[in-house]
């Protein structure tokens, strides 16, 4: 009994947290006699600082392009003047630049992907909430502008943040870079790997000019700007002509900086809009409405089926199913998962799969009861003997969702994520929640 009570307290705590996260935004407006109220009752917002990382956002459901409405663009990148071995890298660099621009623009939950179709290098851009197609094309249709700048005042104090106002162009831009990569030089003992550095190489015609610039900036910062936004400001240690290194960066910073340098070093010559599409909000609202109806109907039919065939255990399984629904929605909002129409379909499908484990367990329990076992014995034996089947079936389903997520794109990946989360949560509710409820119900 002590173990069951601990599990019951744990389940209760999880349900309370899920309810708090799932709480919808409800406007309340009353004007009844002396009571006048005009407010909005909504769920919590994340505002915390974990290990120096500030996390601040709401816990609303994130809707994809097909549900929220917005703009869908397919862009073709002109990589004709780029060597074949570097075309994929150039496409990824262009994609990273577009993604950074979109984030700076304030578009949330944007989906930006690359693809190759019949020898064409394409970038797929989905911007939920952006209805102006011309504005979207202007946002993503320009190639990156990378330049190196120095402080206007040579005596600028160390640690000053470089901006366009307090810096001046040096004449060195992204077209002068040949390539950039992350390197791990050997430490002084030649036995251990050193700290990461960003190694870059200049084109032959730009080397003298870069050497002249760095010669006058020894001991001073050289700011790197991408699309008029500073990405790094390393201090020049010595004159650099053809090759150089940026030190003092972490692994993640080195990867990011090399990508941004390559965005200028390997510019996409031109980006053409192959396809443009605007999804109306009314279509999205209708899809959400129909999906909600389908989810409620599916949940109701499964609940009735369980009660009709299994009686009291079926009622307990339905309670676990409600908990499953609350936990899944809380995870969608907390992670967050951008819900598309395909993702909602995966969630609705997982509702039926959530009781699949219970069906296996209850049928095993029936066999044990027919063999003369007591209720408690039937519960324990039923769960233990059904576990192998439950484990194998769910692992095979998870492998399928992993394959869909790895090789799929767009809405296929959204379907895989929603289904995968549903499978994992259903295993918890079937094995832990339902089992605890049954033990408590038949404890005597």
């Amino acid at each position: 009994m002590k173990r069951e009570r601990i599990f019951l307290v744990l389940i209760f705590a999880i349900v309370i947290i899920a309810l708090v996260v799932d709480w919808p935004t409800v406007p309340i407006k009353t004007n009844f006699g002396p009571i006048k109220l005009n407010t909005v009752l909504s769920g919590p917002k994340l505002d915390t600082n974990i290990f120096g990382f500030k996390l601040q956002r709401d816990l609303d459901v994130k809707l994809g392009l097909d549900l929220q409405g917005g703009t869908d663009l397919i862009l073709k990148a002109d990589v004709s003047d780029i060597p074949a071995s570097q075309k994929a890298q150039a496409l990824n660099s262009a994609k990273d630049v577009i993604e950074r621009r979109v984030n700076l623009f304030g578009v949330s939950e944007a989906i930006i992907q690359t693809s190759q179709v019949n020898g064409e290098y394409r970038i797929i851009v989905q911007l939920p909430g952006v209805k102006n197609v011309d504005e979207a094309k202007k946002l993503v249709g320009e190639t990156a502008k990378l330049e190196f700048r120095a402080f206007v005042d040579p005596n600028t104090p160390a640690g000053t943040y470089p901006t366009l106002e307090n810096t001046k162009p040096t004449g060195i831009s992204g077209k002068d870079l040949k390539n950039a990569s992350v390197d791990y030089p050997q430490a002084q003992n030649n036995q251990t790997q050193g700290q990461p550095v960003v190694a870059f190489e200049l084109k032959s015609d730009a080397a003298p000019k870069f050497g002249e610039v760095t010669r006058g900036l020894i001991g001073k910062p050289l700011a790197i700007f991408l699309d008029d936004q500073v990405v790094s400001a390393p201090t020049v240690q010595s004159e650099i002509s053809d090759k150089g290194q940026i030190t003092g960066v972490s692994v993640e910073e080195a990867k990011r900086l090399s990508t941004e340098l390559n965005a200028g070093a390997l510019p996409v010559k031109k980006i053409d809009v192959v396809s443009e599409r605007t999804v109306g909000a009314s279509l999205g609202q209708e899809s959400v409405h129909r999906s909600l109806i389908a989810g409620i109907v599916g949940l109701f039919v499964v609940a009735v089926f369980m009660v009709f065939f299994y009686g009291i255990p079926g009622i307990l399984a339905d309670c676990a199913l409600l908990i499953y629904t609350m936990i899944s929605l809380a995870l969608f909002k907390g992670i967050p998962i951008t819900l598309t129409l395909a993702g909602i379909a995966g969630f609705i499908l997982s509702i039926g799969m959530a009781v699949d484990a219970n069906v296996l367990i209850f049928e095993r329990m029936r066999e044990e009861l027919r063999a003369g076992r007591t209720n408690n014995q039937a519960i324990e034996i039923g769960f233990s003997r059904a576990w192998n089947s439950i484990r194998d079936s769910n692992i095979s389903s998870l492998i399928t969702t992993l394959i869909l997520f790895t090789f799929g794109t767009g809405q296929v990946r959204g379907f895989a994520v929603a289904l995968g989360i549903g499978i994992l949560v259903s295993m918890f509710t079937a094995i832990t929640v339902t089992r605890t409820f049954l033990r408590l119900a038949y404890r005597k």
Side-chain angles (χ1 to χ4, degrees):
M1 279 300 297
K2 183 178 180 180
R3 183 175 58 178
E4 277 68 50
R5 287 171 182 167
I6 293 174
F7 276 120
L8 190 62
V9 170
L10 175 64
I11 294 168
F12 181 76
I14 293 175
V15 169
I16 294 298
I17 295 173
L19 280 174
V20 171
V21 175
D22 292 340
W23 193 267
T25 300
V26 181
I28 300 176
K29 187 175 182 180
T30 61
N31 189 6
F32 183 73
I35 302 176
K36 295 182 180 180
L37 187 63
N38 187 3
T39 185
V40 175
L41 186 64
S42 61
K45 298 182 183 296
L46 286 178
D47 189 0
T48 184
N49 194 317
I50 303 176
F51 302 114
F53 179 75
K54 188 172 181 58
L55 184 61
Q56 186 176 12
R57 66 175 179 84
D58 56 30
L59 288 176
D60 296 333
V61 176
K62 307 299 181 184
L63 300 179
L65 179 70
D66 54 348
L67 300 179
Q68 183 182 351
T71 301
D72 184 13
L73 299 175
I74 299 178
L75 312 173
K76 183 179 72 172
D78 185 356
V79 293
S80 57
D81 59 342
I82 297 176
S85 61
Q86 299 177 341
K87 288 184 178 180
Q89 184 180 7
L91 188 67
N92 286 326
S93 298
K95 175 229 175 191
D96 291 338
V97 171
I98 291 175
E99 188 170 16
R100 191 181 59 84
R101 286 178 176 177
V102 168
N103 292 334
L104 290 174
F105 188 70
V107 180
S108 61
E109 308 306 325
I111 298 175
I112 303 172
Q113 301 172 328
T114 59
S115 67
Q116 297 183 31
V117 180
N118 296 327
E120 292 183 352
Y121 290 79
R122 295 185 176 184
I123 302 175
I124 303 169
V125 182
Q126 295 182 347
L127 306 174
V130 177
K131 304 298 192 300
N132 190 330
V133 178
D134 293 333
E135 184 180 25
K137 289 192 291 186
K138 182 180 179 181
L139 178 66
V140 303
E142 299 178 355
T143 55
K145 183 182 75 172
L146 180 101
E147 63 175 347
F148 293 78
R149 300 173 68 93
F151 281 110
V152 176
D153 183 2
N155 299 317
T156 300
T160 303
Y161 187 80
T163 64
L164 289 176
E165 288 72 25
N166 62 14
T167 59
K168 61 181 179 181
T170 61
I172 306 295
S173 63
K175 64 183 180 182
D176 298 317
L177 282 176
K178 186 176 182 180
N179 58 58
S181 62
V182 181
D183 193 14
Y184 298 89
Q186 295 291 329
Q188 293 181 355
N189 57 12
N190 292 326
Q191 294 180 357
T192 60
Q193 194 176 60
Q195 295 298 316
V197 299
V198 179
F200 61 90
E201 184 178 356
L202 292 137
K203 295 179 179 178
S204 56
D205 56 344
K209 181 171 57 174
F210 198 78
E212 181 182 352
V213 170
T214 54
R215 190 185 313 123
L217 292 174
I218 295 177
K220 300 176 182 178
L222 178 63
I224 304 171
F225 281 76
L226 185 63
D227 285 341
D228 296 334
Q229 298 290 328
V230 63
V231 295
S232 182
T235 300
V236 179
Q237 303 293 338
S238 60
E239 179 182 341
I240 301 172
S241 55
D242 55 345
K243 294 181 180 180
Q245 291 182 347
I246 299 175
T247 60
V249 293
S250 65
V251 175
E252 292 301 323
E253 289 172 340
K255 291 180 180 178
R256 175 185 59 81
L257 185 56
S258 66
T259 299
E260 289 169 338
L261 289 175
N262 279 318
L266 297 171
V268 175
K269 183 177 180 180
K270 186 174 62 171
I271 293 180
D272 297 321
V273 178
V274 177
S275 171
E276 59 184 60
R277 181 171 64 99
T278 301
V279 179
S282 59
L283 176 61
Q285 289 296 327
E286 183 180 357
S287 299
V288 172
H289 180 68
R290 291 184 176 182
S291 300
L292 287 175
I293 293 177
I296 293 172
V297 170
L299 190 64
F300 176 77
V301 170
V302 171
V304 170
F305 171 84
M306 295 300 293
V307 173
F308 180 77
F309 277 93
Y310 298 107
I312 293 177
I315 295 175
L316 299 177
D318 289 342
C319 294
L321 185 61
L322 290 175
I323 294 174
Y324 156 81
T325 305
M326 290 189 294
I327 294 175
S328 297
L329 182 57
L331 289 175
F332 289 154
K333 297 174 71 173
I335 292 177
I337 301 297
T338 301
L339 281 180
T340 62
L341 196 58
I344 293 179
F347 175 64
I348 294 174
L349 174 62
S350 66
I351 291 176
M353 298 179 65
V355 296
D356 179 62
N358 288 325
V359 171
L360 291 174
I361 293 166
F362 293 164
E363 288 299 326
R364 293 295 306 180
M365 287 172 56
R366 280 183 171 179
E367 293 178 5
E368 299 302 325
L369 289 172
R370 284 195 292 265
R373 306 283 189 181
T374 64
N375 285 327
N376 286 329
Q377 291 174 334
I379 291 171
E380 300 304 324
I381 297 174
F383 271 87
S384 63
R385 292 187 176 178
W387 165 244
N388 290 337
S389 300
I390 296 171
R391 179 198 60 201
D392 295 343
S393 63
N394 282 282
I395 288 177
S396 62
S397 298
L398 286 173
I399 292 173
T400 302
T401 60
L402 181 62
I403 293 172
L404 289 175
F405 182 83
T406 303
F407 298 101
T409 58
Q411 295 190 358
V412 175
R413 300 183 74 177
F415 173 85
V417 170
L419 184 58
I421 291 176
I423 292 171
L424 292 173
V425 176
S426 69
M427 290 180 67
F428 168 75
T429 55
I431 301 301
T432 303
V433 178
T434 305
R435 190 173 192 173
T436 301
F437 288 170
L438 284 171
R439 283 173 171 172
L440 292 171
Y442 293 101
R443 64 183 182 273
K444 295 183 180 179

